[in-house]
Amino acid sequence: MKQLRITFFIFGFIFLIVNGCSSSQLLNYQSETLKITPLTSHTFIHTSYLNTNSFGKVPCNGLVYVNDGKALICDTPIDNESSEELINWVENTLHAEITAVVVNHFHVDCLGGLQIFHQKNIKSYSTYLTQELAKKDTLNHPVIPQIGFDKELILKVGNEKVINEYFGGGHTFDNIVSYVPSEKVLFGGCLIKELNAGKGNLEDANVKDWPQTVKKVKTAFPHAKYVIPGHGTYGDQSLLDYTIQLFNK
């Protein structure tokens, strides 16, 4: 009898491992234009690809947070087509309703797909400064985020919250970060660099304030376990330290 119980336990353990792996694999998604990577049980990194003259084909990260059948997106993919691809994945795979999209700053890798979000009646948020800078972008003529805020915006997703906050200039003068306390996930966007990255596009940067801004982010969210940069591989708080050191040079 004891041997039988041990046998059932072993088979049950193997089933849980296999079943868990299968569930995780089902939530991975990749096409030529969009990649989705599970991070925690409620968060996913979406990556789309921007073709640039200076840096070639650049992978651009955003965040999906899902809770209680609702979803919030940080940054759109780079265009309407890949944004619609992401929306369909969230609705059909996660079976969640997207209630908001938060724009990190005014560049195209943050708001390039806003039109399709608006067409689907998904509200968009950014700082007032991002709205102003987007309106002045006569080269790209981006779609403007609908709802502005000053320094901080807290949005509820189900019974949990997402903190969106402005700490100062860096990659741009308007860049923010978004933090999911329940998951300890910090979406740093282009304010934060992946490990060993270069300084990147400084055309609209506030290089002088950049390290101090990141220091403020680190102080505000000391419990962040996962840190997602705007481009490249996610990590932990070492990405904050690396960015500070990079721009202190």
Side-chain angles (χ1 to χ4, degrees), residues 144-155:
I144 310 301
Q146 296 168 326
I147 303 168
F149 65 95
D150 187 17
K151 297 290 186 180
E152 183 184 66
L153 171 71
I154 297 177
L155 294 172

Side-chain angles (χ1 to χ4, degrees), residues 184-226:
K184 298 182 179 180
V185 171
L186 175 67
F187 177 66
C190 296
L191 176 67
I192 307 303
K193 295 293 183 179
E194 72 169 332
L195 295 180
N196 301 315
K199 293 183 177 181
N201 176 19
L202 302 179
E203 183 177 348
D204 300 306
N206 181 349
V207 177
K208 176 178 176 292
D209 290 347
W210 200 325
Q212 293 302 318
T213 299
V214 179
K215 286 180 182 178
K216 293 176 186 177
V217 172
K218 185 176 180 180
T219 300
F221 305 116
H223 302 298
K225 182 178 179 181
Y226 305 96

Side-chain angles (χ1 to χ4, degrees), residues 12-57:
F13 182 70
I14 293 171
F15 172 80
L16 287 173
I17 292 175
V18 173
N19 189 56
C21 291
S22 299
S23 299
S24 177
Q25 289 170 356
L26 286 173
L27 293 175
N28 277 288
Y29 174 87
Q30 186 162 3
S31 70
E32 291 184 1
T33 52
L34 182 68
K35 179 181 178 182
I36 298 170
T37 307
L39 184 60
T40 71
S41 57
H42 292 274
T43 57
F44 306 81
I45 300 170
H46 70 77
T47 305
S48 54
Y49 304 93
L50 179 65
N51 291 310
T52 69
N53 294 326
S54 302
F55 301 98
K57 187 177 181 180

Side-chain angles (χ1 to χ4, degrees), residues 133-148:
L133 291 173
K135 289 174 184 177
K136 293 177 181 178
D137 185 0
T138 55
L139 177 64
N140 297 301
H141 300 286
V143 175
I144 310 301
Q146 296 168 326
I147 303 168

Side-chain angles (χ1 to χ4, degrees), residues 78-188:
I78 57 105
D79 56 26
N80 287 324
E81 291 73 23
S82 51
S83 293
E84 186 164 24
E85 193 175 358
L86 174 64
I87 292 169
N88 289 337
W89 183 86
V90 171
E91 292 178 343
N92 297 327
T93 302
L94 301 182
H95 306 290
E97 175 192 2
I98 302 171
T99 58
V101 55
V102 178
V103 174
N104 181 278
H105 62 276
F106 77 99
H107 285 168
V108 67
D109 53 349
C110 300
L111 48 63
L114 268 187
Q115 182 180 357
I116 195 69
F117 280 87
H118 291 173
Q119 287 177 2
K120 293 180 178 293
N121 296 316
I122 299 169
K123 294 179 180 179
S124 61
Y125 299 82
S126 75
T127 62
Y128 294 121
L129 181 55
T130 295
Q131 290 178 320
E132 293 173 13
L133 291 173
K135 289 174 184 177
K136 293 177 181 178
D137 185 0
T138 55
L139 177 64
N140 297 301
H141 300 286
V143 175
I144 310 301
Q146 296 168 326
I147 303 168
F149 65 95
D150 187 17
K151 297 290 186 180
E152 183 184 66
L153 171 71
I154 297 177
L155 294 172
K156 294 296 290 288
V157 182
N159 60 350
E160 298 291 350
K161 65 181 179 181
V162 177
I163 303 169
N164 308 280
E165 194 163 354
Y166 174 75
F167 289 93
H171 171 70
T172 58
F173 280 78
D174 63 318
N175 46 210
I176 65 170
V177 298
S178 299
Y179 183 62
V180 186
S182 62
E183 305 298 305
K184 298 182 179 180
V185 171
L186 175 67
F187 177 66

